[in-house]
Amino acid sequence: MIINSRFFNRSELIGFVALGLILFVILPLSLDVFRLNLVAKYLTYAFVAIGLVLCWGYGGILSLGQGVFFGLGGYCMAMFLKLEASSVENTKIQSTPGIPDFMDWNQITALPLFWQPFHSLTFTVLAIILVPGLFALIIGTAMFKRRVGGTYFAIITQAVAAILTILIVGQQGYTGGINGMTDLRTLKGWDIRPDHAKVVLYFFEVFLLFGCILIAQFIRLTKLGRILVAMREQEDRVRFSGYSVANFKIFAFCMAAIFAAIGGAMFALNVGFMSPSFVGIVPSIEMVIYTAVGGRTSIFGAVWGALLVNFAKTGLSESFPQLWLFGLGALFIAVVLAFPNGLSGIWADHVQSRIDRLVSSIKKKSGDWTSNSVADGAPAE
Amino acid sequence: MLIGHQPKPFLLAVEALTVSFDGFKAVNNLSFYVEENEIRVIIGPNGAGKTTVLDLICGKTKATSGSIQFRGKELTKLKENQIVQTGVGRKFQTPSVFEDLTVFENLEISYPRGRTVFGSLVFQRDDAVKQRIEEVAEMIFLKDRLDTYADQLSHGQKQWLEIGMLLIQDPELLMLDEPVAGMSVSERAKTAELLNRIIKDRSVLVIEHDMKFVEDIAHKVTVLHQGQILSEGTMEKVKNDPRVIEVYLGH
């Protein structure tokens, strides 16, 4: 793979290494397993936020329904885990042993057909990617080919989030209803509940997260990434440069959906349950706030946004549970009005420029002999 | 001239073109023909339907009735991006360039390769691309501004950049909507020079109000008035047409 310019510029490389150090080394060494598991939960939203950077930050397509894809990914994973937890010996007290407990409570006597393939882990992994991907493809095609965009698109994605929540809650026998799918136990016989499993899952998730960061960065650097930016500004000019704008929007929306779904699947694994409260309108808007706080055009900013807003949420809602929603609203307004580029914008404008000045003044002082060796600071390609 | 016995096929044949917006006919039963390598200028008072004609040809507005044939292909049935791919390029009235991208990247996006989603993912900035971009940048007087972000260009430079983005598409028919509007006198002269250079192997359809500029470049002038043709021919002929003087030039 030959990429035209360097894969990361210097400040991106610093951001990448810093994030790697913090997530792979510093946090696991300094936090107990309970807190580390909380970080794992927060990071599941970072996947969604990275997708939103591509779709909203770059492509200008605001989706207020990412919870739908997070939920679809999460439910696919949870269905597999739930089936494994509902073996005949585990459920022998039920009137129909071998099916999930909530089905038994709802007088369902046989496993529904669409549940059958979720006995297979391979199928489940494919479904986590393909189900949300295809669903996004259908919504995207229906909307973008008809040139529905902007606010109208955002409202429709909200409606889809509301519909899916109602569907999940209403079809209790098939989905676990409002309680969701709880009591998930093992993955291919490996218990996901004890502390050491939580640590392994945390590292697996961070590993996947870096995979997604690299994919997003790759897309950003191709011509497609520049077309997304171009489309955000002058949709007509892109169209009259010979591109089908709808297809590019569909692609960005599908990528965002797939990233969100991976996050959802990791949520089911790390947290041990999945419920409609992570699917609907409010969580979907929160996901957009993470991206906005982090900076909607910054991939690393999105990860920080998801982490910091969730830390604040846990902290604040532990001490002042009623105030949290007001705090979240105020945060969003503050970001939009005062810092439109979020944390990454503040970093680039105030911190980065100071560091650069400091570095260049040190360089000047230390004379000519070092200027060659530290001229760029970037590694060889 | 009998139908079916035209001596030379026209590059663009617009026939009985009509578009109506809620009953108002912005373009009414309009027919005109553009030959290969011809510079045709459309003039006319405000609201005459000039921009609408370009919108119809490039697919931005759908015709109510009538036909637009480009090299024998019916354009009224195609989508905008397909029309571009048959060889029609369009410049808008206000410069529409991508301000968050550099001049180089602006030109690169218009380079006619990798126009599908997959194609743009695997697109490589190879020597052919770089060479062509530098060539065009030189033509549009922006050779030393390739790494400048487009939002830092002057109004005139943005207009040139957009013309450059069209050039790199290498269209057979180039449509320009008021290319010198808002330009300084020296920029205007440079633009005329630029246009005279780029029309060598293509036809150009220009909307312009600046009569001096029109006289400099036009082979043939079409005067539109209330969606219909008022007069057509050489600049000399149009200028002396009493009806044209009455509705347009007399002011």
Side-chain angles (χ1 to χ4, degrees), chain B residues 88-101:
Chain B
V88 179
R90 161 83 190 267
K91 192 205 156 302
F92 292 95
Q93 200 166 345
T94 50
S96 55
V97 296
F98 311 123
E99 303 206 328
D100 283 351
L101 298 176

Side-chain angles (χ1 to χ4, degrees), chain A residues 133-191:
Chain A
L134 286 176
F135 193 50
L137 183 72
I138 293 167
I139 298 176
T141 308
M143 297 295 116
F144 298 135
K145 289 277 181 195
R146 294 204 181 100
R147 309 244 166 114
V148 176
T151 327
Y152 301 100
F153 181 76
I155 292 169
I156 286 166
T157 53
Q158 281 265 280
V160 173
I163 292 166
L164 190 66
T165 318
I166 294 166
L167 192 72
I168 291 172
V169 173
Q171 297 301 312
Q172 218 182 137
Y174 299 104
T175 62
I178 191 85
N179 298 319
M181 290 179 198
T182 52
D183 196 21
L184 308 175
R185 297 174 190 177
T186 55
L187 176 75
K188 283 274 172 194
W190 178 66
D191 200 327

Side-chain angles (χ1 to χ4, degrees), chain A residues 101-218:
Chain A
D101 46 15
F102 57 82
M103 290 186 186
D104 197 57
W105 303 332
N106 286 282
Q107 286 80 44
I108 287 172
T109 52
L111 196 64
L113 203 62
F114 76 95
W115 271 76
Q116 302 283 0
F118 286 93
H119 279 297
S120 149
L121 183 61
T122 321
F123 175 87
T124 305
V125 171
L126 286 176
I128 289 168
I129 306 286
L130 292 179
V131 170
L134 286 176
F135 193 50
L137 183 72
I138 293 167
I139 298 176
T141 308
M143 297 295 116
F144 298 135
K145 289 277 181 195
R146 294 204 181 100
R147 309 244 166 114
V148 176
T151 327
Y152 301 100
F153 181 76
I155 292 169
I156 286 166
T157 53
Q158 281 265 280
V160 173
I163 292 166
L164 190 66
T165 318
I166 294 166
L167 192 72
I168 291 172
V169 173
Q171 297 301 312
Q172 218 182 137
Y174 299 104
T175 62
I178 191 85
N179 298 319
M181 290 179 198
T182 52
D183 196 21
L184 308 175
R185 297 174 190 177
T186 55
L187 176 75
K188 283 274 172 194
W190 178 66
D191 200 327
I192 60 170
R193 290 164 299 175
D195 283 356
H196 62 88
K198 299 275 186 214
V199 175
V200 172
L201 282 173
Y202 170 82
F203 279 108
F204 178 61
E205 183 185 348
V206 176
F207 184 72
L208 276 184
L209 183 70
F210 274 79
C212 286
I213 289 175
L214 292 176
I215 292 171
Q217 176 75 359
F218 171 75

Side-chain angles (χ1 to χ4, degrees), chain A residues 34 145 234:
Chain A
F34 172 73
K145 289 277 181 195
Q234 297 276 358

Side-chain angles (χ1 to χ4, degrees), chain A residues 205-237:
Chain A
E205 183 185 348
V206 176
F207 184 72
L208 276 184
L209 183 70
F210 274 79
C212 286
I213 289 175
L214 292 176
I215 292 171
Q217 176 75 359
F218 171 75
I219 291 174
R220 199 174 80 81
L221 288 180
T222 60
K223 192 173 91 166
L224 193 142
R226 294 188 288 278
I227 290 171
L228 290 181
V229 173
M231 217 166 67
R232 180 183 71 194
E233 294 182 51
Q234 297 276 358
E235 199 176 305
D236 264 346
R237 184 70 266 162

Side-chain angles (χ1 to χ4, degrees), chain A residues 1-5 145 147 218-219 221-245 247-249 251, chain B residues 58-60 79-81 84-85 90-92 95-101 105 108-111 113-117 120-121 123-126 162 165-166 169:
Chain A
M1 190 187 336
I2 304 154
I3 289 158
N4 304 315
S5 49
K145 289 277 181 195
R147 309 244 166 114
F218 171 75
I219 291 174
L221 288 180
T222 60
K223 192 173 91 166
L224 193 142
R226 294 188 288 278
I227 290 171
L228 290 181
V229 173
M231 217 166 67
R232 180 183 71 194
E233 294 182 51
Q234 297 276 358
E235 199 176 305
D236 264 346
R237 184 70 266 162
V238 176
R239 201 167 275 135
F240 290 110
S241 298
Y243 298 94
S244 163
V245 167
N247 288 351
F248 285 86
K249 287 190 172 179
F251 175 82
Chain B
C58 73
K60 195 172 183 227
K79 289 215 178 80
E80 294 97 324
N81 58 312
V84 172
Q85 284 164 16
R90 161 83 190 267
K91 192 205 156 302
F92 292 95
S96 55
V97 296
F98 311 123
E99 303 206 328
D100 283 351
L101 298 176
E105 290 168 336
E108 184 189 52
I109 283 187
S110 305
Y111 190 82
R113 203 178 65 196
R115 278 168 164 169
T116 60
V117 170
S120 67
L121 271 176
F123 177 87
Q124 298 286 331
R125 195 177 279 177
D126 56 24
E162 201 182 349
M165 289 162 74
L166 289 171
Q169 289 176 16

